[in-house]
Amino acid sequence: MSSTRPNQLFRNKSSKIAAIPMIVTALFVFVGGTIWTVVYSFTKSGLLPRLQWVGLDQYERLWATRKWLVAIENLAIYGLCMLVLVFVIGFILAALIDQKIRFEDTIRTVILYPYALSFVVTGLVWQWILNPEFGVQNVVRGWGWKSFTFDPLYNADIAIYGVLIAGIWQGSGLVMVLMLAGLRGIDQDVWKASRVDGIPTWKAYIFIIIPMMRPVFVTTLVIVVTGIVKIYDLIVAQTGGGPGISTEVPAKYVYDMMFQANNLGQGFAASTMMLVTVALIVIPWTILEFGGSKHRD
Amino acid sequence: MALLPARLRVEKIMKNSVEIKNLDLQFGSVKVLQDLNLDIGKGEFLVLLGSSGCGKSTLLNCIAGLLDVSGGQIHINDRNVTWAEPSDRGIGMVFQSYALYPQMTVEGNLSFGLKNAKLPKPEIAKRIKQASEVLQIEPLLKRKPAALSGGQRQRVAIGRALVRDVDVFLFDEPLSNLDAKLRADLRVEIKRLHHKLQNTMIYVTHDQIEAMTLADRIAIMRGGQIMQLGSPAEIYGRPINKYVADFIGSPSMNFLDGHVENGTFEVGDLSIPLDGYEFVDASATDGPATMGIRPEHVVTGELVESAPFQVNVEVNLIEPTGSDTLVDCEVAGHHFRVRMDGQSRVSVGEKLRLGFAPTRASLFDANTELRL
Amino acid sequence: MTDTSLTPLTGPQGPKPRKSFSRRNIFLYGTLITITLFYALPLYVMFVTSLKGMPEIRLGNIFSPPLEVTFQPWVKAWSQACTGLTCNGLSTGFWNSVQITIPSVILSIIIASVNGYALSNWKFKGADAFFTILIFGAFIPYQVMLYPIVIMLREIGLYGSLGGLVLVHTVFGMPILTLLFRNYFTSLPEELFKAARVDGAGFWAIYTKIMVPMSLPIFTVAVILQVTGIWNDFLFGVVYTSPDNYPMTVSLNNIVNSTQGVKEYNVNMAATILTGLVPLSIYFVSGRLFVRGIAAGAVKG
């Protein structure tokens, strides 16, 4: 260390140099990229981005496009069902596994492995299992129930539920792991106290344990929701958006507009809408978790 | 008060409140409790004392029914409750971490178990009122645990045991999470509570001050067994073995390794007369032994002249604590501590004359470490 | 102690008798076994399908084990299956994925660990602000940044190349990895860092000589997280590389969903397993570390 007072800018120099990639990523890619996309969503960009302002035209067209409306509707159905089912299944599984059961590691390993697989693999497997000609429908018909029909991927009305099955299969293990970590983090004395008080287990879960797990639930919710909004690969692999446009989702709409329809403006507007959706979840969460830190124990 | 009838029930006197018979507990091949027997009288305050891992909390959890025992029986109020659910055993329990239900108000915490047991509303309200009066937590009833201080939380936790209107209270290191001052305050409060309610209380702690001040009887545990069971005075004055002697008392007992010969204790070139020492076994024979003398039983100054045994030492080190001054010296080659009044003026290197009475000392067999 | 030990005990004693076939246990294990089977089923179906010949698939039931085991579908999936344009199987995609994954994992971990280290031990003014932006960035849908990155890569001449994709993976891996390393380094005793500074070690010396050797477990977690994440990526692969450089997931999708010719389900399933093999092996080998990676990723920043 030299005895002269170093320049403020060069204090901690190595650390600042080391942080350059982070700063560049944060400022240029994340902030810059986001602002750029939002700005260009108000332009008439087609094949190439052009700074020709058209106001809200892109958004008006977006919300007048059937494919986008279907995509939003699908996202809502998929998202809501996914959220509810994945939480219910994940929590029940975690609670069952938390009962000091045998073969815990095996069961956990089996339930979580789908999460290690890519959405493409997941989509293709379930495409095969749900294939009416060879899959579940065929097998059940083979047992003698000739009129049995289960062909979600070939029926536009319910195709999104076929995707939902795959999504749940892939994602519930994650929720289970998070919930289990939450359950294991509960002070064992609380369980003891509830037993001394004579509270039945199910009541203890509902009135004591679940309320205590609020932070875990919130974190899991944020992770699951951001995952749902991003859903893309699963659709591409499992249904390709079909039959027809019945399983389109916003992320796919964005990709198709940007890279196949040469309609960048639409892509920008659609992706901005996705950003808004996520912001509606993440911002309240941030305020809740980190803003009101005064009354946390 | 509805909380008091417990005292009336004491009239079936001398029936034990809790009886533990041949209790075994093992996890896999590890024996945690071994053939443990313990009777606790009605209205008695029993403290289970020991260092961590001695099995004291495990024993308490067995009594509560939170752990399934491997062998033996547990009786509470003359009822064999070995297989009973914790809530059916007639106990209330207070935990170290308070274990309050964090999302409920204090009132909710107190009433949850009662509501669940389908008690009529007026009865619940009455019990909460009484308990909160006794514990002075009435102003806190509408608050949530997060908004309470550690001491207040523990009062609520005690309250949750109180409203159950049971005869036996179990405390699992209830004061360990509190700071020193609060701990002292709440200790007094628990003692007062016991006087008032006259319930049986079983109290687990590793803090000997808590044990000494609270207990009617102390059970000192080690390695899943009870080493000594007795009143605080007995445990302090006549420790049954060297472990107990060393464990109880702060600063701890001085030990001199020597041997007993013809009614004197020989250590180095000193001969300490054992006149008046009460041997456990009158026919005790001569042989190697350890003498234990508590630092506070050594006298200095004018009092020395009246002591049966006297010795000259040189002061090696002084530890003033304010109320007392601890003096380190050497007696017959053994490290030796003396507790003197905080006012005494001593300095390192000074010559000091000490005296003590062998009647207040303890003698242990050098091999078995049992009291002679 | 009393002499009760001498009189024999009557009434309930010892452990509470429990039926191993209690209603509770039947419900508990019944549910768990059913669910476990549901989760295991697809993997099983993939395997048996990939080992059957096409005639058997047309006749049989997808759940039945193969009557005649054949490895032909695997060979075909690896080296002959058609992606619509070429018929080189998955092998090209596999090697592309290897070439993408290895440098991406190394680069992203080096950068993120140094970042995390700077954030935990050498905090400078404004560091937390950048970090907060970075964490928020993790929640922004990728679609929002997709096109701006195309432009950036084009500007530096990496658009369509493996190098460009490596850069993209490094950027998008940064939030979670930085968080992971920052939290880990913060949990190390600060005295260690202070002692090293008193001994005259500087930023890089402390990082390489003290922090890295102490952080092997977290580096392992990071490697697991990144290898599976990058291997499984589809979107970035499609957007930022050209068909010659497509990673394995993209090739797989092109093989299975290409509309030309007769569908060979056994080859498709063999290809699907092959693609899933790398993350699956990592998952089954690393076990708890994998779980720790997820949990670390889930813990709020």
Side-chain angles (χ1 to χ4, degrees):
Chain A
M1 317 273 158
S2 65
S3 54
T4 53
R5 190 168 239 277
N7 186 321
Q8 272 296 317
L9 194 65
F10 294 111
R11 274 191 62 217
N12 217 344
K13 196 177 69 195
S14 306
S15 175
K16 286 175 184 167
I17 292 172
I20 286 175
M22 176 182 84
I23 296 171
V24 169
T25 301
L27 291 186
F28 285 87
V29 184
F30 291 170
V31 175
T34 304
I35 293 174
W36 192 94
T37 300
V38 174
V39 168
Y40 274 84
S41 71
F42 299 107
T43 68
K44 201 184 169 182
S45 302
L47 174 64
L48 289 171
R50 275 191 305 171
L51 268 180
Q52 190 182 339
W53 304 107
V54 291
L56 291 170
D57 273 10
Q58 295 289 4
Y59 292 92
E60 279 167 20
R61 267 177 54 205
L62 180 69
W63 287 101
T65 309
R66 214 178 94 73
K67 192 172 157 186
W68 172 256
L69 294 175
V70 170
I72 288 287
E73 192 195 349
N74 279 336
L75 187 66
I77 296 173
Y78 176 86
L80 211 67
C81 296
M82 179 81 178
L83 206 58
V84 171
L85 288 172
V86 121
F87 262 81
V88 170
I89 295 172
F91 184 80
I92 290 178
L93 279 175
L96 292 179
I97 290 176
D98 198 31
Q99 305 301 312
K100 297 193 179 86
I101 56 156
R102 284 199 251 180
F103 313 116
E104 180 190 320
D105 278 351
T106 315
I107 292 174
R108 244 185 22 187
T109 306
V110 173
I111 291 171
L112 188 59
Y113 87 89
Y115 187 71
L117 293 172
S118 76
F119 276 116
V120 177
V121 170
T122 304
L124 295 178
V125 179
W126 282 96
Q127 185 191 63
W128 173 235
I129 293 175
L130 298 178
N131 183 325
E133 234 179 295
F134 303 99
V136 177
Q137 176 178 307
N138 177 48
V139 172
V140 175
R141 285 187 182 174
W143 290 337
W145 184 358
K146 294 295 177 204
S147 62
F148 178 80
T149 315
F150 187 64
D151 57 347
L153 300 186
Y154 289 78
N155 179 344
D157 292 337
I158 55 167
I160 194 69
Y161 297 98
V163 180
L164 183 67
I165 297 176
I168 289 168
W169 178 77
Q170 213 248 9
S172 42
L174 169 73
V175 178
M176 181 271 292
V177 166
L178 297 175
M179 295 286 159
L180 190 58
L183 284 174
R184 296 268 154 96
I186 300 269
D187 178 8
Q188 282 303 306
D189 279 357
V190 171
W191 276 113
K192 290 182 181 177
S194 82
R195 284 189 66 193
V196 171
D197 267 350
I199 316 290
T201 313
W202 65 270
K203 245 187 186 174
Y205 271 116
I206 293 174
F207 292 106
I208 302 168
I209 304 302
I210 292 179
M212 283 177 84
M213 282 170 62
R214 198 194 67 100
V216 179
F217 272 86
V218 174
T219 314
T220 312
L221 182 82
V222 171
I223 292 170
V224 172
V225 169
T226 46
I228 289 172
V229 176
K230 285 175 184 169
I231 178 140
Y232 169 71
D233 335 11
L234 183 61
I235 300 283
V236 170
Q238 201 179 352
T239 67
I245 55 166
S246 63
T247 54
E248 288 291 338
V249 285
K252 185 164 177 296
Y253 184 90
V254 171
Y255 178 87
D256 290 350
M257 282 300 160
M258 281 186 187
F259 299 102
Q260 293 185 333
N262 293 330
N263 195 342
L264 286 176
Q266 274 295 291
F268 296 149
S271 55
T272 305
M273 292 316 303
M274 290 176 69
L275 179 68
V276 170
T277 316
V278 172
L280 285 178
I281 306 287
V282 172
I283 291 172
W285 168 64
T286 321
I287 294 167
L288 229 77
E289 277 309 276
F290 306 104
S293 55
K294 272 153 273 165
H295 43 88
R296 287 180 67 190
D297 43 358
Chain B
M1 284 176 76
L3 291 164
L4 288 180
R7 180 183 279 157
L8 300 175
R9 277 170 242 159
V10 178
E11 283 172 11
K12 296 196 289 177
I13 37 173
M14 270 7 268
K15 269 295 189 181
N16 285 324
S17 178
V18 177
E19 291 177 6
I20 293 157
K21 303 179 180 186
N22 305 65
L23 191 73
D24 282 315
L25 181 75
Q26 49 198 59
F27 296 126
S29 59
V30 186
K31 288 193 173 172
V32 186
L33 299 174
Q34 291 179 52
D35 197 27
L36 201 135
N37 287 286
L38 181 63
D39 289 344
I40 301 157
K42 279 233 151 72
E44 181 174 359
F45 199 120
L46 181 100
V47 172
L48 299 172
L49 176 65
S51 46
S52 59
C54 71
K56 57 189 191 299
S57 281
T58 313
L59 175 59
L60 197 73
N61 279 316
C62 287
I63 297 173
L66 296 167
L67 281 175
D68 211 5
V69 303
S70 312
Q73 291 182 336
I74 296 165
H75 294 244
I76 296 177
N77 281 333
D78 300 323
R79 202 159 61 84
N80 185 343
V81 295
T82 314
W83 293 348
E85 279 297 306
S87 52
D88 301 332
R89 294 187 174 205
I91 52 146
M93 191 161 177
V94 179
F95 299 90
Q96 177 178 356
S97 62
Y98 323 125
L100 297 177
Y101 310 136
Q103 309 298 331
M104 297 181 195
T105 59
V106 168
E107 197 172 5
N109 268 280
L110 297 180
S111 63
F112 194 48
L114 304 180
K115 277 183 192 157
N116 196 64
K118 303 257 180 334
L119 251 67
K121 275 210 173 105
E123 173 68 16
I124 296 178
K126 199 176 86 190
R127 288 203 198 170
I128 290 179
K129 188 163 178 293
Q130 282 162 351
S132 50
E133 271 171 18
V134 170
L135 295 163
Q136 295 159 7
I137 50 173
E138 294 140 297
L140 312 176
L141 284 177
K142 298 290 172 209
R143 290 206 214 159
K144 285 198 177 172
L148 303 179
S149 69
Q152 290 170 329
R153 285 182 206 184
Q154 199 50 290
R155 277 165 205 259
V156 176
I158 294 173
R160 193 171 53 185
L162 223 59
V163 293
R164 291 177 55 73
D165 195 20
V166 289
D167 299 328
V168 181
F169 282 1
L170 309 177
F171 292 88
D172 191 0
E173 307 223 23
L175 307 183
S176 297
N177 280 7
L178 301 173
D179 64 52
K181 192 181 171 320
L182 259 175
R183 201 150 61 209
D185 293 349
L186 228 66
R187 198 170 70 208
V188 174
E189 204 140 327
I190 289 175
K191 185 148 194 167
R192 198 172 288 144
L193 194 70
H194 180 239
H195 277 298
K196 199 164 177 178
L197 303 176
Q198 294 290 321
N199 291 40
T200 310
M201 293 191 176
I202 307 178
Y203 189 105
V204 164
T205 182
H206 63 267
D207 180 346
Q208 48 169 304
I209 307 287
E210 267 174 40
M212 298 296 271
T213 50
L214 290 171
D216 292 328
R217 280 194 303 165
I218 297 175
I220 296 203
M221 292 189 63
R222 188 192 190 193
Q225 286 171 317
I226 294 176
M227 295 260 103
Q228 186 170 7
L229 177 65
S231 69
E234 260 168 43
I235 295 217
Y236 176 79
R238 292 180 60 82
I240 202 163
N241 59 24
K242 199 177 157 192
Y243 175 80
V244 175
D246 197 25
F247 189 76
I248 291 289
S250 173
S252 57
M253 198 180 248
N254 297 302
F255 291 109
L256 304 173
D257 297 322
H259 58 276
V260 178
E261 214 173 282
N262 298 328
T264 58
F265 181 74
E266 308 282 340
V267 52
D269 47 9
L270 296 178
S271 286
I272 304 172
L274 294 175
D275 306 324
Y277 180 81
E278 286 180 45
F279 281 92
V280 177
D281 179 3
S283 65
T285 48
D286 296 353
T290 301
M291 175 177 265
I293 302 129
R294 295 204 180 273
E296 55 271 33
H297 292 162
V298 181
V299 292
T300 52
E302 302 104 69
L303 293 167
V304 173
E305 296 312 318
S306 54
F309 178 77
Q310 299 160 18
V311 61
N312 288 318
V313 295
E314 190 185 311
V315 176
N316 288 337
L317 196 72
I318 302 170
E319 302 169 66
T321 65
S323 57
D324 311 308
T325 298
L326 299 178
V327 175
D328 274 36
C329 54
E330 214 166 83
V331 170
H334 292 78
H335 179 78
F336 202 90
R337 282 166 117 187
V338 179
R339 187 150 99 188
M340 294 173 70
D341 191 87
Q343 303 291 319
S344 347
R345 297 260 166 268
V346 277
S347 49
V348 173
E350 198 181 309
K351 295 275 187 275
L352 206 59
R353 192 160 177 78
L354 309 176
F356 58 83
T359 45
R360 301 186 77 178
S362 296
L363 274 175
F364 304 103
D365 186 297
N367 297 317
T368 62
E369 298 200 340
L370 289 176
R371 187 180 186 86
L372 288 174
Chain C
M1 267 157 274
T2 59
D3 54 359
T4 46
S5 52
L6 299 176
T7 55
L9 301 178
T10 53
Q13 58 172 302
K16 201 191 257 183
R18 290 189 199 284
K19 281 185 290 181
S20 40
F21 285 100
S22 62
R23 279 231 312 270
R24 172 184 175 274
N25 276 358
I26 291 172
F27 170 75
L28 182 64
Y29 286 98
T31 315
L32 282 173
I33 289 169
T34 314
I35 291 174
T36 309
L37 283 180
F38 169 75
Y39 280 88
L41 196 72
L43 192 61
Y44 166 79
V45 170
M46 268 193 273
F47 257 106
V48 293
T49 308
S50 74
L51 297 174
K52 290 175 188 170
M54 269 318 282
E56 194 186 331
I57 291 180
R58 283 198 200 90
L59 295 173
N61 150 345
I62 57 165
F63 300 116
S64 60
L67 297 170
E68 221 176 306
V69 174
T70 165
F71 293 100
Q72 193 51 40
W74 287 67
V75 176
K76 190 161 185 201
W78 179 252
S79 55
Q80 295 149 23
C82 296
T83 57
L85 295 170
T86 53
C87 288
N88 296 326
L90 270 177
S91 52
T92 323
F94 175 83
W95 291 114
N96 284 340
S97 275
V98 171
Q99 283 177 62
I100 294 161
T101 305
I102 292 176
S104 302
V105 170
I106 294 173
L107 191 64
S108 63
I109 288 179
I110 290 176
I111 289 182
S113 64
V114 173
N115 268 342
Y117 164 66
L119 283 169
S120 65
N121 292 350
W122 299 83
K123 232 177 233 181
F124 54 89
K125 222 172 148 193
D128 277 337
F130 292 120
F131 181 64
T132 311
I133 297 175
L134 198 71
I135 294 302
F136 269 97
F139 292 112
I140 302 174
Y142 297 143
Q143 283 73 15
V144 176
M145 293 170 280
L146 225 44
Y147 205 83
I149 293 176
V150 169
I151 296 176
M152 289 178 205
L153 289 178
R154 207 179 268 148
E155 288 298 312
I156 53 176
L158 287 176
Y159 182 54
S161 70
L162 290 181
L165 188 53
V166 167
L167 212 58
V168 170
H169 281 306
T170 307
V171 161
F172 284 102
M174 210 181 285
I176 180 67
L177 289 184
T178 305
L179 178 69
L180 193 73
F181 280 108
R182 187 198 75 142
N183 289 355
Y184 187 83
F185 289 137
T186 311
S187 73
L188 292 177
E190 211 194 337
E191 287 74 18
L192 206 79
F193 170 73
K194 286 181 179 161
R197 282 204 76 176
V198 172
D199 284 342
F203 184 90
W204 297 106
I206 296 177
Y207 173 73
T208 51
K209 301 230 167 65
I210 294 167
M211 293 304 178
V212 174
M214 281 191 70
S215 313
L216 228 57
I218 207 70
F219 275 93
T220 319
V221 167
V223 168
I224 294 167
L225 207 66
Q226 283 299 85
V227 173
T228 42
I230 294 170
W231 192 274
N232 286 341
D233 162 68
F234 177 83
L235 179 65
F236 296 147
V238 148
V239 174
Y240 298 113
T241 54
S242 47
D244 295 343
N245 294 330
Y246 275 161
M248 201 172 185
T249 46
V250 181
S251 323
L252 169 71
N253 187 54
N254 289 347
I255 288 174
V256 177
N257 286 329
S258 73
T259 42
Q260 294 159 336
V262 186
K263 286 229 173 207
E264 291 182 288
Y265 297 108
N266 50 358
V267 176
N268 289 351
M269 284 301 112
T272 309
I273 297 180
L274 280 170
T275 310
L277 220 48
V278 169
L280 268 190
S281 327
I282 289 177
Y283 171 70
F284 284 117
V285 171
S286 63
R288 286 191 180 265
L289 280 176
F290 183 90
V291 175
R292 195 171 147 195
I294 303 178
V299 174
K300 56 204 172 189

